[in-house]
Amino acid sequence: MNSIRFLFLPRKEKELYAALYKILGVWPRKIQYYKVALMHKSLGHRDFNPKTKRLGKKVSNERLEFLGDAILDAVVGDLVYRRYTGKPEGFLTNTRSKLVQRETLGRLAQQMGITKLIMASGRSVQHNSYIGGNAFEALVGALYLDRGYDACMTFWNKRVMGKYLNADKIAYKEMNFKSKLLEWSQKNKVQLEYRMVSQSQDENGSPIFVYVVVLNGVVCLNGEGYSKKEAQQMASEKTINKLKADKTFADKILVVQSEQSEETEKEVEIKTESSLKVIAAEQEIDELSLDDLSAKELSREEIIAAAEAAAYSEKEFV
C-alpha cells in the first residue's frame, strides 16, 4: 500500500484498510476482493456496468467463501501434517476438522473483529457464527487472490495459531457439549430433555432463544443463544460443568432416576436413541467421555495420544 495514496483515500476507506491490516498483518493490494468477502448476500448488492449503465448479477461473498474453505483445508492440513509427525490419517483428519469447523471460525471472526466489518441487510451479524465463519473463509479467499498461498499460510500461523487457537488442546477437547451430555445421560439411563423457556428478539430484530436442560424431570441450567442449537449447547455446557463440580447435584439426578416408576429403562433408551439421531444430523459427534472434559493437566504427548484414540474409538451410537 502506497503511503501517499493512502493519505488521499476517503476516511471510511482508510478505516477499512487499517482494520484489514490489523486482522491480516498485511496491507490489501486489491481492496475490492476484501469488500466482496465482507458482503453478505442479504445486502442484495449488484454490480454496475458503466458502459451499459445497467445493474449486473448480485454480488456476495459466497464464491470467495467456497475458495477460502478450500484454501483453509490445505493450510490447516499442512499445519497438522507437519505438527503431528507420523500420526495416521484418521487422527490428522479429525484434528483438522475441529480447527476449521464453523463454530471455531465463527468465534475467530468475532474475536478478530471480522464480524464488525461484515456488510449485511436487516440485522446485526456479530452474534451469528455461521455468517461470521462464512466471512472468515471468504476473507481467506480474498487474501489468496490478492497475495497468494504463502500469505494465507502466514496469516493462519502467525495471526491465528497461538494467539487465538491451541492446536493440541483443540485436538483433544470435545466442543459439542450437547452430544457430551446426551452420551452421559445414555450411559446412566437418565432421560434428557430440552425445553424452550422463551423466544424473543433483540434490538436488531434477531431472534433470541432460551432453553433449559431437564434431566429425569429435574430442571437444571438454561442457556441463551441466537439459534435453538446455540441455546441448547450453552445450557448443556452449564449443566455439564455443574455435574462435574457439584456431586450433590449429580446424585440428585441419579436418585430421581432410581425412584422413577412411570417409565421403563427401555423407554428411556428409545427416547435417547431418537435424540442421538437428531444431533448426529446437526454435527458429527466426537467420541470422548464426559470425564475427558475435566480440566486435568496433560503433557502434549498425552493430549495427542488421547486425541488419536478418540479418532479411532468406535461407539454404538455413531
Side-chain angles (χ1 to χ4, degrees), residues 1-51:
M1 179 63 184
N2 187 294
S3 58
I4 297 178
R5 181 187 161 203
F6 181 79
L7 291 174
F8 291 95
L9 289 175
R11 181 177 61 83
K12 286 189 176 181
E13 197 91 341
K14 287 181 181 179
E15 290 175 353
L16 178 59
Y17 269 97
L20 289 171
Y21 176 78
K22 183 178 179 181
I23 292 167
L24 301 172
V26 294
W27 290 102
R29 289 173 177 167
K30 296 183 179 179
I31 194 63
Q32 188 59 32
Y33 288 144
Y34 303 93
K35 288 182 177 179
V36 174
L38 298 168
M39 194 177 295
H40 188 254
K41 63 181 179 181
S42 65
L43 199 62
H45 181 79
R46 291 178 180 271
D47 266 336
F48 178 75
N49 190 324
K51 292 183 179 179

Side-chain angles (χ1 to χ4, degrees), residues 264-282:
T264 66
E265 288 189 359
K266 185 63 178 177
E267 288 173 326
V268 174
E269 288 177 2
I270 291 173
K271 287 187 176 182
T272 303
E273 195 173 316
S274 175
S275 297
L276 274 168
K277 291 179 181 178
V278 173
I279 290 184
E282 291 178 344

Side-chain angles (χ1 to χ4, degrees), residues 66-267:
F66 164 80
L67 178 61
D69 177 55
I71 298 301
L72 268 179
D73 271 351
V75 166
V76 177
D78 191 333
L79 166 76
V80 170
Y81 180 84
R82 296 174 188 275
R83 187 179 187 89
Y84 303 109
T85 306
K87 294 301 176 184
E89 182 270 344
F91 170 81
L92 301 179
T93 299
N94 196 42
T95 302
R96 181 185 62 184
S97 296
K98 289 181 180 181
L99 286 167
V100 299
Q101 66 181 347
R102 191 64 44 164
E103 288 78 7
T104 302
L105 299 183
R107 283 194 299 274
L108 285 173
Q110 179 70 37
Q111 293 169 343
M112 299 177 75
I114 295 173
T115 51
K116 295 179 181 179
L117 302 176
I118 298 173
M119 296 175 284
S121 175
R123 64 181 193 175
S124 172
V125 298
Q126 292 191 37
H127 57 264
N128 193 314
S129 63
Y130 288 90
I131 294 178
N134 293 345
F136 186 97
E137 289 179 337
L139 208 59
V140 171
L143 182 62
Y144 171 74
L145 292 177
D146 189 31
R147 286 183 169 266
Y149 179 83
D150 288 344
C152 296
M153 177 68 78
T154 301
F155 164 66
W156 184 266
N157 286 334
K158 298 291 180 66
R159 312 295 292 188
V160 178
M161 294 305 300
K163 186 174 182 180
Y164 296 101
L165 293 180
N166 184 310
D168 295 336
K169 288 184 177 179
I170 288 178
Y172 174 66
K173 186 178 180 182
E174 164 62 70
M175 300 304 293
N176 191 340
F177 295 101
K178 187 177 176 183
S179 297
K180 197 53 63 185
L181 185 59
L182 187 52
E183 182 182 333
W184 179 86
S185 67
Q186 183 188 47
K187 178 181 177 181
N188 292 280
K189 308 300 181 187
V190 170
Q191 183 179 340
L192 168 63
E193 298 177 64
Y194 291 93
R195 295 178 187 171
M196 183 186 290
V197 176
S198 65
Q199 179 178 349
S200 58
Q201 292 184 336
D202 65 10
E203 64 276 9
N204 298 300
S206 302
I208 299 176
F209 299 93
V210 177
Y211 269 83
V212 66
V213 169
V214 181
L215 296 173
N216 277 339
V218 177
V219 177
C220 302
L221 288 91
N222 61 37
E224 180 181 299
Y226 287 94
S227 69
K228 294 178 180 179
K229 182 179 177 182
E230 184 180 349
Q232 291 171 3
Q233 283 278 13
M234 181 61 68
S236 299
E237 181 179 1
K238 290 181 178 179
T239 301
I240 285 174
N241 290 335
K242 180 75 171 176
L243 285 168
K244 291 190 299 178
D246 189 345
K247 188 176 184 299
T248 303
F249 174 68
D251 288 344
K252 178 182 178 181
I253 302 298
L254 297 175
V255 167
V256 171
Q257 164 64 18
S258 66
E259 293 176 347
Q260 284 181 333
S261 58
E262 292 79 16
E263 281 191 313
T264 66
E265 288 189 359
K266 185 63 178 177
E267 288 173 326

